[in-house]
Amino acid sequence: MTGAAGERTGRCACGSVRYTLTAEPQEVVLCHCEDCRHATGATAVTWLLLPLGALVFRKGTPASRESSPDVTRVFCRGCGTQLAFRDARDTSIAVTLGSLDDPSGFAPTQQRYEAQKLS
């Protein structure tokens, strides 16, 4: 689903947290790191990298935790859905592709931490 003027929307699994993306992704990254696997329970995670400020929460207040130095993960405090990832050393925010209402049309432009990729 998209919002006003083609804005993309998303949510957590239980619907307590809803968001809008106000910009197109700069990159689409498939991450194989161990931290992403543990945070999501998936073998790899696809992230949309967006400019800071392009993720706007419209409903609910997500929780966050520092998963490593300078890295904050944002998730629904009710159902635990991983929604975003922020590295304080970077000028972007990453949003999980799978949390979009309509995740179609995005293909990874790069992969990260391939050395940690599961066989």
Side-chain angles (χ1 to χ4, degrees):
M1 176 158 71
T2 58
E7 293 177 334
R8 295 188 181 273
T9 58
R11 66 177 180 84
C12 65
C14 71
S16 295
V17 177
R18 293 205 54 86
Y19 65 82
T20 300
L21 303 181
T22 61
E24 286 298 309
Q26 300 163 321
E27 292 182 74
V28 181
V29 175
L30 181 61
C31 186
H32 300 281
C33 82
E34 182 178 5
D35 197 35
C36 282
R37 287 197 312 267
H38 286 288
T40 64
T43 58
V45 181
T46 305
W47 297 100
L48 304 176
L49 274 59
L50 302 144
L52 284 178
L55 171 62
V56 179
F57 290 101
R58 303 288 187 196
K59 178 184 173 193
T61 302
S64 64
R65 71 174 181 89
E66 187 176 348
S67 61
S68 56
D70 295 319
V71 173
T72 301
R73 292 181 179 273
V74 178
F75 57 96
C76 174
R77 65 183 75 243
C79 66
T81 299
Q82 177 85 36
L83 299 168
F85 171 97
R86 169 79 171 102
D87 187 327
R89 301 163 292 192
D90 201 358
T91 60
S92 62
I93 189 161
V95 175
T96 52
L97 174 63
S99 67
L100 286 175
D101 291 325
D102 180 6
S104 62
F106 293 103
T109 54
Q110 65 173 286
Q111 295 188 48
R112 293 192 181 162
Y113 298 97
E114 289 184 80
Q116 295 180 29
K117 184 177 182 177
L118 298 177
S119 57

